[in-house]
Structure formats: C-alpha cells, structure tokens
Amino acid sequence: MITNRERILSKIKSNLGKEKDRAKIDIDILEARLKGSMPSLIPKRGIIQQDKLLEKFESSARGVDSSVSIIDDLSEIPKEVKYYLTQNNIASKIVVLPNKELDSIDWNKYPTLEVTKKFPDEKDETVFVSSYVAIAETGTIVQLSSSENPITSHFLPDNSIVLVKASRIVAAAEDAFKVMRKEINSIPRTITLISGPSRTGDIALNIELGAHGPRKVHLLIWNDTK
Amino acid sequence: MTVNPTSNNFKENAKKALADDNLQAALNNLKGGLISKRKEAIKRLPEFDAISTRAKNIKDEVFLDLDFYLEKFEKKTIEYGGVVHWAEDANDAKNIILELLKSINAKIMTKGKTLISEEIGLNEFLEENGIEPVETDLGEYIVQIAGEKPSHIIAPALHKTKENVADLFHEIHSPLGYKERQNSASALVAEARSVLRKRYLEADAGLTGANFLVAETGSTAIVTNEGNGDLTQSLPKMHIVLATIDKVVPTLEDVSTILRVLNPSATGQDMATYVTFSTGPKRRDDNAGPDQFHVVILDNGRSDLIGTDKQDVLRCIRCGACMNHCPVYGAVGGHAYGWVYPGPIGAALNPALIGIEKSHHLPNASTFCGRCEEVCPMQIPLPKIMRHWRNEEWKKKIPKYSVRLVLKLWLFLVLNPVLYRIVSSIFVRILSFFSPQKGYFSNLPFASGWTSVRDFPAPEGKSFLSQWEEEHDDNK
Amino acid sequence: MNNELKNKKTEIALFVTCLVDLFRPSVAFATIKLLKEYGYTVVVPKAQSCCGQPAYNSGDYEGAKKVASAVINEFDKYKNVIVPSGSCAGMMAKHYVDLFKDDPEFSKKSLIFSKKVQELISFLSKIPDRKKLHSNFKGTITYHDSCSSLREAGVKHQARELLQEIKGLKIKELKHTEVCCGFGGTFCVKYPQISERMVSEKVADAEASGAEILLSGDLGCLMNIAGRASREGKKIECRHVIEVMADMTSVSPIGKKMKREK
Ligand code: SF4
C-alpha cells in the first residue's frame, strides 16, 4: 500500500522534476547547508563589542518591559530579591530551582524571605531561576530544559526573577546558538527564548502584560566580568 | 473535507460588514496601532530589506529540495523520540489526531494558536467525537466561546471591541463564579488567565501549530507572546504539533533570520516574547514535558503549488502585515472573506486550498494597489498571484458570460485601431451630446456599477485622437 | 539617455492612454505642450488605443498579449515612450515582460521595450538641466499618489518637487498618502460598496487637507475621486497634475460644469 508519506513526497519530487535520486554531490551540498555552510546575516544592532554587551542587554531588556538590577557579587542576591519583592508588593516568598548553580546562594541572611527549593507549580507566585545565556540585541534570556530546569518553571509562576551572568551575555541569537552548539552535544528538549513578561494584544489591540506566562520579569545581572 | 467556505458570498458578506458599526469601530483600531508599530520597528532595523531578501531566499531554497528537508526533519524528530505522521488532506489529519487522542483516552485537549486547525475544521470534528478542544490563545479563546471564527491571522478577535469582550466574558464566565462584569482590558485578560489556568492542568493533550520545522534538529518552533503555547505543549501528557509542509527550514540560524522580519511585520516587536523549540518528548530525567511528541505534517493541496507560478505563496510566515495594510480588508474585516485566511494572503492562498470555484471573489476583490506586496516580509508577489488566479478562472470560463462578452468586444475594437477610433469617437460624441450642463452624469444605465456610488465625469468633448488627427491631417 | 535627452530634436512618442483619449484630451495636450517647451519633438503614433490592462487584470492573458504585442509593434521604432499614467506605464514597462516571459518572439522585444517606457512625471523629473516650471497657477493643492505611480513607477517626491517649482502653488498633504482610492479598474464597478468606502475616505482626507484642488498622475483615480466628491457635493476640484504643470487649467476640472467654448 502506498502511504500518505510516499504520496506527498513523490508529488513534491515530481513537481520539482526530481524523481531520480539526488547525485552524491547534491546531497553533500544539502548536508553542508544543514551544518551551517550558509553564513548568517546579522544586522548591525546585533553585532556588539564585548564591553558594550551588558549595557546593550540592559537597555534591550528594559525595552521589552523587564526590570533590571545589576549586582557585583552573588552574595547580593538575597538582598536584591527581597528589595524587589517589597518594592513591587509581592509576597516575600520564592521558589528556587534546585540546581548546582543556585545552591551556592546563601539565603539565610533574610529570614523574612521564605525560600523553598523545588520546581515551581501553578501555586507558586515567584520563581528564582538562572538563564543559560542572554541576548543583548533583543534583551532575551535563553532557557534550555533539563532535569534541573523544567520548562514549566518559566511559565507557571506570576513573577520570574532571573539571574543573568554578564559573562554569558552574547550579542545575537545566532551567537547564543553558537555557544549552545559548542557546549552541548545534543539538542535539549526545549530551547526557549524569553523576551520580557508575557503579553497579549487580543483585546482591541491594547497591549496588556501578563497573559498566560509571568506578569513580571526581573533580571538580576551579575557583573562577573569585572 | 475542510471547513465550509462562504467565500462565494463575499459581496453580501462585505455589504453586511460595511453596515456593521460595531465591526467598523473594531476595524478602526487597525489603522493606528499595527501599521505605525511596524513602521517604527523597521526603522530600528535598517537592514530590514536585506534580511527580508535573505528570508525569502531561505524559503525558496528549501522549496527546491523540499522532499529532502522534510525527510531530514522526520529523521531527526524520530531520533529524539518523536513520531511523525503524514496527512495528505484535512480528513487524514483529523483522523490521525483523533486516533492519537483516543489512544490515551483524552477528554480535553488544550490548543495553542494554529490556523491549520481552522483550515481542517479540527474543533468541530473533535467535539463530534466527544473530545473538548480548548483554545488558549486569548484571541482564539474569545472567538471560540463566542461561537465564531477568527477574523485575522494574528489577532483572531480583531472584529470585537473591548465592550464586546466584556459582555461575552460576563455571560460565559458568570456561571464559573466570575460574577462581576470587568471593564478594563487588563481585568479581562486577568479573568481569562485565571479561567484558562485550570484548563491547562486538566488537559490530557495539547496541540500547537508550528511557525517552523527545523530540519537540522527535528525541532518544531512556536512564536508567541502570551505563553499559552508553552503551557499547552509542556503540561499535558501528549504534545501534538500540526504543521504544513511549507514550514520546514534548514537550521536554527535560519529561524533567527526569519524572526527578524516576522516580528516587526506582525506586531512591531523586535522579538516576540517567547520562541520555543521543542524536540521530542520528555527526556528520561526531565521533570516536565509530554510523554509523547507527535508531529502531523499536512499537505492539503500545497504540494500542488510546488514548481508552479503560485509557489511563492508558500513562503508566507503568517505575519498578517498584508491584511493590516489592505484597504479591502480594512473596509470589510476578515469574516467577509468566508474562509480561514483573509486579506491578500487569503486571496492568493485560498483558491489553492479550496478551489477557485469556491473562492473566485477573493482574487477579484482587489484594486491591485500593491501595498500588500510592498509590506510582505517574504516578498510574496500577492497581486501577481491573485492575477494568476484570475487567469485560471478566465480559462475555466468562470466569469459571467456578459463580462466575457464585453471584454471580447472591447478586445476586438482595441485590436482594430481604425475601427476603434471611429467607434470611440462616436461613443464620446454621443456621451458629450447627452452630457448635462453640470459636467457629470448621475446615472448611466450601462455603467450602473460606477454611478451607483459616484457620479460619472462627462468627457471634455471630442476624443484626443480625433482632434489630433484633424489638426495633423497632413501628418506623416 | 541623458545626453540624448539634451538634444533638442529628441523624439518622444506619446502613449495617450484610452482614458485620456476619451475623457480628458487636455491631459495629452498639456503633456505635449510641456514636452515641446522642453524642446522635444512629440509624435502621436496613430495605431494606439489601450495598453491592455482590462484584459490582463481580468485574467485574459491571451487577449492582453495580443494588445501588448500590437502596442510594442507600433511603438518599437521610438526610443522614448511617455505615458501620462502610472498604471499604463507600469503595465507597459513591467507587466508586458511578465506576460511574454515564455514567448519566443516577444520575450526579448518586451524587455527592450520596457526600458523605453516612462511615466510622465518620472520622465520630467529626470530631464537634465531642465529649466523650472513656470506655470501661472495659483492655489492650494493636494497630491494623490496613485498606487501604480507610487509602487510601479516609483514616483513620490518627484511630483512634489516639480510642483514646488510653481511659485503660486502650495501643497497640503493627504493624511494617508499611501492608501488606494478604490478605483482599481474593474474593481470599482464590480465591488462598488467597498470602492465607495475607500473613495469616500480619500475624499474626506482631501477635504481635511484644506486643499482646493486634488492632483494626481492617473486619470482612473481622478475620475473616481472626482465622481465621488461630486456625489457627496464636495467642492474639491480634481485635475491631472500635468494640467497644472503645463499651465493649462482653463479647462474645467474633471466632472465639473463645462465651459463650452468650442
Ligand atoms: S503574505 Fe506576506 S504579509 Fe501576508 S501574512 Fe504572509 S508573510 Fe505576512
């Protein structure tokens, strides 16, 4: 029996006049294309000097309605988090993803800040996560899913506080992919590029923040390049 | 079978739409917002045109080897534990999806925004089969609970004013405990968020579309602002992706290139809030994600366009810019078009999907002003494709006999210059003779289409060519 | 081309367009007058009528090809073909090439021909060392960009710059200069209600601009806008832009009361 698959593919092939199998050389060219033989076309605004990355990331992030604060040392995190929550009238209660990187933060100095280490669910209001890399051109953070970083962490809570290392800010999305290809062998189940809080324009084209994902995104940029 | 088109009622639909004050008020929102936001976003990207050309080339290049890229995508998806299903038409796709849902005894399926599901009439089909589809994109949700169809490809509920939505939510959400009628857009959004949160968690399966299928990695990618697509695809046990054959691109970088023109064109953003690449089901040690990952690749007539003069239409990335800038869409809104894809892209694509017989008004209801082509980030020659459809229908003798006869007579005259000059000068003389003093005709029986809405300016006097001939009798 | 255009004896063939021929001969006379003032010799080839758009846009490609090949054959011997209409110029310079792309005889011919065809305003703006327009016209005008002038002939700033040379003329822009007036050839009679909406908005914009006269480079748009303004009882007058540029505004505006001189 001829399957749908065969029917569709053979129709395409015959419309292309490519009924015969491709020559080896043609396949090689296509395979090379898939391995990145075509150089990307990155606009000027996405080509950023190393020393301008932080500045550009900050302004882009604000441009997509994230709030930003910059810290010089990891030890400042609890204070900053506490301050942010108070300023924004958010309950002093956060969920911190249980992973190696965030485990080193000492939250004990702020006993009024309730910290739970777990993966967030729909009942958790505020989550504290760290980003894989960040993209200066668009103020985007990149999250790769893993056993330590479930994708739902970035969508269920109302507020997302994200640790961004300055050393992990890249210029453009293409650079983020480059880092990923270098560091990771196989593609993670999900790669999520997040630019600011969730939003919708579906009611009479008014932009409203906080559609289904976080209403607020706060970025703590740790200037670890200093 | 696909959802029944009412495109042949375009004229009546349009008339109704023009007289619908509420719709006109809603359409008015279009004029300011999206057009000026797009302009601003493009100003921020001086390389827009060059990137748009690259984006176009990526798609053209893929189409030249479409079978290769699709097979590659399939292979990679399978490598990561996903399952790929091929659907030749709407029925295939619906049955595949139903079987998948039955296999896990699904009762509720949440949905991210997918136009293709509208194209194949998935919701109606699932309901008939006892499965509840729940739209989660706010615009789609509004349209679903109103029992309507989307009227715009990126803003499905564009035809509704805020007051309409407030009334609707009040009616539908009251029994759920939301007693108070909300008036502000933000309160309405919050209410929908709260209602839909429960649905995400109840759902047995989640279905999304895909803006891209990445051949290199076997990933499907969605581009959203609300975050609904991500909750849809990561909370339930099964994630089904419904995508058409034209969505495949080679690499992640190609996605990035196209995003650079998609986002400004669609919403005037530099970057959409969320872009998620999904590859296969939950990994062994993952704490979230679906147990099953299925991709349904649908053809539904698209492969027929490959290698033809209408192939360009497959480059479409569904940004909506063409309809935002279309004066016809702006006057009548999306529902008048009578099928899933409204505006210029609908006029170019729908005839390929439902047949020119069922959609012949669409490519005709255009002034060929060319603004759609001008703003299309994928450089699709929309008017040209509409004209090709007119050609197709001409060859099939679909236009009325009287229309064809008039054109034949005209052609005969035009091709016989001497006769043309005699006849046209007589015509002008007669018209001038009957010209009212006021300089225009309020009513011309043979041009009632014209004079029903505007006066017909009287000719100046004799035709130019006859005057010229008189003056230059001795001419070379 | 530039050098050649300086040559006083350069011959220009005028493609009158069917609408101008039948309804507004003044446009052709004004064109000829201005071109002569700039030193060109203008010829009007006899065997001309229409560029073929009605057939082409109705999908009758075969019919359109017949018209197009007749036009090419008649005008082929001239080096410059000037057309006082964006849409006809677009048809002849752009769409003929598309139509004939697979035609053994005309694919090349239409390509060569396409290089000779120029929309009037675009041509005027490119005349080297041209002396300024010296029309005695006085008044406030607004300029309607016809879609094909704008998008196919690329005319936008050229029209304004030329008009600004006229001392007594003031330009007030329309609010939505890039939006179609709703003419669209047969569109306006096939879908009169939609066309009505579009043209009413254009008339409203024209009125809101505060201009007394609306100028444009395409007679189709002008008849549409003038006809609608007249139906709405609006005062605004409509003229082809060349009438003002050539200082030939003694003829009544389009669709207005005739001054029966002849
Ligand atoms: S046709 Fe072009 S402008 Fe219209 S939706 Fe598709 S990509 Fe966007």
Side-chain angles (χ1 to χ4, degrees):
Chain A
M1 201 189 79
I2 305 172
T3 60
N4 274 338
R5 179 183 186 281
E6 284 155 24
R7 261 201 300 271
I8 294 170
L9 289 173
S10 70
K11 206 188 309 166
I12 293 171
K13 277 188 222 172
S14 85
N15 285 351
L16 288 170
K18 291 191 178 170
E19 284 95 343
K20 286 199 216 96
D21 285 346
R22 284 182 179 73
K24 169 105 179 20
I25 179 160
D26 292 331
I27 294 181
D28 288 348
I29 291 171
L30 290 170
E31 292 287 352
R33 175 69 174 87
L34 287 175
K35 292 201 176 74
S37 66
M38 170 88 98
S40 292
L41 200 151
I42 301 175
K44 256 210 190 103
R45 71 174 188 207
I47 301 169
I48 304 159
Q49 276 179 351
Q50 201 67 36
D51 59 337
K52 291 278 185 300
L53 284 171
L54 200 163
E55 191 185 315
K56 175 70 183 158
F57 174 73
E58 186 190 350
S59 75
S60 303
R62 289 187 197 278
V64 293
D65 304 293
S66 295
S67 53
V68 178
S69 60
I70 300 178
I71 54 175
D72 287 329
D73 196 275
L74 271 186
S75 63
E76 294 169 46
I77 290 177
K79 184 185 79 195
E80 280 296 331
V81 169
K82 174 74 192 166
Y83 178 75
Y84 171 76
L85 295 175
T86 318
Q87 283 289 303
N88 289 281
N89 279 324
I90 303 169
S92 201
K93 203 173 151 188
I94 61 166
V95 166
V96 178
L97 291 202
N99 68 33
K100 274 172 241 115
E101 192 173 14
L102 302 179
D103 273 352
S104 62
I105 303 167
D106 180 13
W107 300 94
N108 293 328
K109 269 190 230 150
Y110 286 86
T112 55
L113 178 66
E114 199 184 315
V115 176
T116 319
K117 290 196 181 170
K118 66 161 192 148
F119 299 125
D121 57 40
E122 68 286 353
K123 290 180 236 47
D124 297 310
E125 202 185 345
T126 306
V127 68
F128 183 79
V129 297
S130 74
S131 76
Y132 175 66
V133 287
I135 300 167
E137 180 190 353
T138 47
T140 303
I141 56 167
V142 180
Q143 296 290 1
L144 308 185
S145 70
S146 69
S147 59
E148 296 191 331
N149 190 9
I151 181 175
T152 44
S153 317
H154 316 297
F155 289 92
L156 285 171
D158 274 6
N159 310 298
S160 199
I161 305 178
V162 187
L163 175 66
V164 177
K165 284 193 211 158
S167 61
R168 301 285 291 175
I169 299 175
V170 297
E174 284 79 354
D175 301 304
F177 296 142
K178 216 182 275 168
V179 172
M180 195 186 74
R181 288 183 204 283
K182 211 170 83 188
E183 295 179 348
I184 300 170
N185 294 335
S186 82
I187 186 161
R189 194 188 78 79
T190 61
I191 307 168
T192 309
L193 315 186
I194 303 174
S195 311
S198 91
R199 67 199 65 206
T200 180
D202 275 344
I203 298 181
L205 297 175
N206 298 311
I207 301 299
E208 294 294 333
L209 297 183
H212 295 281
R215 299 168 199 266
K216 287 195 168 71
V217 171
H218 183 63
L219 305 177
L220 279 180
I221 307 178
W222 171 26
N223 195 353
D224 60 344
T225 53
K226 261 198 179 164
Chain B
M1 208 209 49
T2 51
V3 178
N4 253 344
T6 61
S7 308
N8 277 351
N9 301 336
F10 178 79
K11 277 193 172 180
E12 296 77 53
N13 297 350
K15 228 181 263 177
K16 263 188 238 143
L18 285 162
D20 182 341
D21 291 339
N22 187 65
L23 171 67
Q24 293 298 326
L27 284 171
N28 229 349
N29 292 328
L30 204 61
K31 297 219 173 82
L34 289 173
I35 293 179
S36 57
K37 279 189 200 160
R38 170 184 169 277
K39 235 190 198 147
E40 290 300 312
I42 288 176
K43 247 192 237 155
R44 294 192 295 268
L45 186 61
E47 301 90 339
F48 185 89
D49 288 345
I51 299 175
S52 146
T53 302
R54 170 65 76 90
K56 163 189 184 285
N57 291 344
I58 290 171
K59 287 270 187 171
D60 284 347
E61 178 199 351
V62 166
F63 295 154
L64 277 180
D65 290 285
L66 184 59
D67 56 312
F68 173 87
Y69 285 106
L70 285 170
E71 285 191 78
K72 205 71 190 180
F73 168 80
E74 177 187 43
K75 187 165 163 257
K76 278 286 167 184
T77 305
I78 294 170
E79 253 174 60
Y80 285 101
V83 184
V84 176
H85 310 260
W86 300 75
E88 223 183 343
D89 59 21
N91 277 335
D92 288 343
K94 285 189 285 197
N95 288 324
I96 291 166
I97 293 167
L98 181 63
E99 286 311 311
L100 288 172
L101 294 173
K102 275 187 180 162
S103 73
I104 56 164
N105 226 336
K107 293 278 168 297
I108 300 170
M109 183 183 83
T110 42
K111 289 178 71 195
K113 197 161 87 95
T114 141
L115 292 160
I116 301 159
S117 120
E118 299 289 342
E119 181 180 322
I120 65 174
L122 183 61
N123 284 4
E124 295 78 357
F125 177 78
L126 292 182
E127 276 161 11
E128 281 161 23
N129 285 282
I131 293 165
E132 185 193 359
V134 180
E135 297 289 351
T136 62
D137 171 84
L138 183 57
E140 292 281 355
Y141 174 70
I142 292 170
V143 168
Q144 185 184 33
I145 61 175
E148 295 173 357
K149 293 268 155 217
S151 68
H152 187 282
I153 62 175
I154 66 155
L158 184 90
H159 57 287
K160 290 207 174 304
T161 62
K162 192 178 77 194
E163 278 59 45
N164 298 155
V165 178
D167 289 340
L168 179 69
F169 278 15
H170 188 52
E171 181 198 330
I172 304 288
H173 292 164
S174 276
L176 306 175
Y178 301 86
K179 295 287 179 223
E180 204 181 318
R181 182 184 186 275
Q182 300 298 341
N183 295 310
S184 71
S186 66
L188 291 165
V189 171
E191 188 173 301
R193 174 186 172 108
S194 153
V195 171
L196 282 169
R197 262 308 157 96
K198 293 194 198 80
R199 309 310 314 266
Y200 288 120
L201 299 164
E202 290 168 356
D204 306 295
L207 180 126
T208 65
N211 294 79
F212 306 96
L213 304 174
V214 187
E216 168 205 12
T217 57
S219 316
T220 65
I222 56 169
V223 181
T224 69
N225 278 312
E226 297 186 0
N228 65 309
D230 286 278
L231 289 170
T232 299
Q233 66 187 14
S234 51
L235 289 170
K237 298 189 282 281
M238 178 186 276
H239 176 199
I240 304 172
V241 181
L242 176 59
T244 47
I245 55 169
D246 50 310
K247 290 285 174 276
V248 66
V249 294
T251 66
L252 295 173
E253 283 75 6
D254 294 310
V255 172
S256 181
T257 300
I258 298 176
L259 284 176
R260 280 204 172 85
V261 290
L262 167 60
N263 297 320
S265 304
T267 52
Q269 291 167 289
D270 298 339
M271 181 74 171
T273 307
Y274 302 111
V275 178
T276 297
F277 298 87
S278 301
T279 316
K282 180 163 140 182
R283 306 279 159 84
R284 205 182 319 142
D285 47 0
D286 271 354
N287 284 296
D291 298 326
Q292 294 187 41
F293 178 76
H294 296 271
V295 183
V296 180
I297 299 181
L298 173 69
D299 180 350
N300 214 21
R302 286 168 176 78
S303 61
D304 293 333
L305 298 180
I306 293 292
T308 72
D309 56 3
K310 301 177 197 84
Q311 173 183 301
D312 291 343
V313 77
L314 295 178
R315 286 201 298 268
C316 176
I317 49 175
R318 308 284 187 265
C319 72
C322 55
M323 59 200 73
N324 298 342
H325 290 78
C326 174
V328 175
Y329 180 93
V332 302
H335 287 153
Y337 289 80
W339 203 59
V340 186
Y341 306 99
I345 180 60
L349 179 64
N350 294 356
L353 303 182
I354 57 177
I356 185 69
E357 290 81 0
K358 285 187 184 162
S359 58
H360 87 101
H361 274 300
L362 306 188
N364 279 291
S366 161
T367 63
F368 285 157
C369 77
R371 215 176 171 204
C372 49
E373 178 175 4
E374 183 179 79
V375 298
C376 174
M378 300 307 283
Q379 303 179 12
I380 301 171
L382 293 153
K384 186 167 157 181
I385 294 168
M386 290 180 222
R387 198 183 280 110
H388 285 336
W389 286 118
R390 295 186 189 182
N391 178 231
E392 201 98 351
E393 87 172 3
W394 185 265
K395 287 192 281 193
K396 288 186 177 167
K397 300 203 160 82
I398 294 174
K400 271 193 248 150
Y401 182 73
S402 56
V403 172
R404 286 185 286 129
L405 184 70
V406 168
L407 204 73
K408 277 235 157 72
L409 284 174
W410 168 86
L411 203 62
F412 177 73
L413 279 179
V414 164
L415 291 171
N416 294 282
V418 180
L419 189 64
Y420 174 83
R421 233 147 342 125
I422 295 168
V423 173
S424 67
S425 75
I426 293 173
F427 167 75
V428 169
R429 260 170 236 241
I430 294 175
L431 212 53
S432 302
F433 181 78
F434 285 108
S435 280
Q437 252 309 171
K438 56 191 183 192
Y440 59 85
F441 297 89
S442 309
N443 187 9
L444 277 180
F446 62 88
S448 58
W450 180 285
T451 52
S452 64
V453 301
R454 49 180 110 56
D455 296 331
F456 191 90
E460 262 181 56
K462 291 184 197 163
S463 77
F464 171 78
L465 289 174
S466 54
Q467 293 185 53
W468 187 259
E469 209 163 293
E470 283 165 24
E471 284 171 35
H472 299 75
D473 238 355
D474 46 357
N475 219 356
K476 33 186 163 168
Chain C
M1 173 194 91
N2 282 2
N3 277 334
E4 202 197 327
L5 285 185
K6 275 187 202 169
N7 178 350
K8 294 284 171 203
K9 284 185 209 90
T10 296
E11 196 175 53
I12 281 174
L14 179 66
F15 185 85
V16 179
T17 79
C18 56
L19 288 182
V20 166
D21 177 37
L22 301 181
F23 298 107
R24 197 76 180 164
S26 295
V27 173
F29 286 118
T31 304
I32 294 167
K33 176 180 177 236
L34 195 60
L35 289 174
K36 278 191 177 160
E37 275 174 27
Y38 282 126
Y40 300 107
T41 310
V42 182
V43 290
V44 181
K46 271 192 178 176
Q48 60 168 302
S49 51
C50 176
C51 64
Q53 279 187 84
Y56 186 51
N57 289 340
S58 300
D60 179 7
Y61 287 4
E62 290 314 310
K65 275 188 198 168
K66 286 186 194 145
V67 180
S69 50
V71 171
I72 294 176
N73 285 337
E74 176 71 8
F75 282 78
D76 225 8
K77 44 187 168 297
Y78 305 100
K79 286 202 177 123
N80 297 285
V81 179
I82 301 301
V83 188
S85 151
S87 77
C88 308
M91 176 73 191
M92 294 159 70
K94 196 178 146 201
H95 298 292
Y96 282 6
V97 179
D98 278 353
L99 258 180
F100 288 121
K101 81 178 179 306
D102 301 320
D103 186 292
E105 187 192 348
F106 276 91
S107 63
K108 209 166 156 204
K109 267 192 171 175
S110 62
L111 205 65
I112 298 168
F113 181 67
S114 73
K115 308 263 188 297
K116 303 177 176 179
V117 176
Q118 296 210 62
E119 188 274 338
L120 173 63
I121 305 305
S122 156
F123 175 82
L124 289 175
S125 72
K126 281 190 269 187
I127 298 176
D129 309 325
R130 182 181 52 81
K131 66 174 193 309
K132 297 222 150 116
L133 295 172
H134 59 271
S135 170
N136 290 311
F137 175 86
K138 278 191 183 51
T140 311
I141 66 102
T142 189
Y143 183 79
H144 165 65
D145 292 288
S146 85
C147 297
S148 31
S149 291
L150 183 67
R151 302 196 174 90
E152 290 184 345
V155 173
K156 189 178 173 92
H157 62 97
Q158 301 91 318
R160 275 105 179 148
E161 282 161 19
L162 280 161
L163 285 168
Q164 263 150 6
E165 295 175 7
I166 300 168
K167 288 211 183 67
L169 180 146
K170 253 181 75 184
I171 303 182
K172 295 207 169 155
E173 290 291 349
L174 294 172
K175 194 167 167 212
H176 304 285
T177 52
E178 309 209 325
V179 179
C180 174
C181 72
F183 172 61
T186 54
F187 171 86
C188 71
V189 292
K190 275 203 233 157
Y191 302 94
Q193 280 84 13
I194 302 172
S195 176
E196 173 187 7
R197 165 63 54 89
M198 291 161 69
V199 67
S200 306
E201 287 180 4
K202 195 51 81 183
V203 168
D205 278 0
E207 205 182 26
S209 76
E212 300 145 4
I213 302 181
L214 178 138
L215 302 178
S216 185
D218 269 84
L219 197 54
C221 308
L222 285 163
M223 289 177 70
N224 179 40
I225 298 169
R228 183 62 199 178
S230 159
R231 177 63 53 90
E232 290 183 15
K234 295 280 155 64
K235 271 217 323 277
I236 190 133
E237 300 180 345
C238 298
R239 290 182 180 280
H240 194 284
V241 63
I242 199 68
E243 297 170 24
V244 167
M245 290 182 178
D247 202 10
M248 281 185 59
T249 51
S250 59
V251 56
S252 337
I254 297 166
K256 294 276 181 192
K257 199 172 177 150
M258 292 290 162
K259 303 167 191 164
R260 302 221 183 214
E261 295 143 280
K262 286 189 183 173

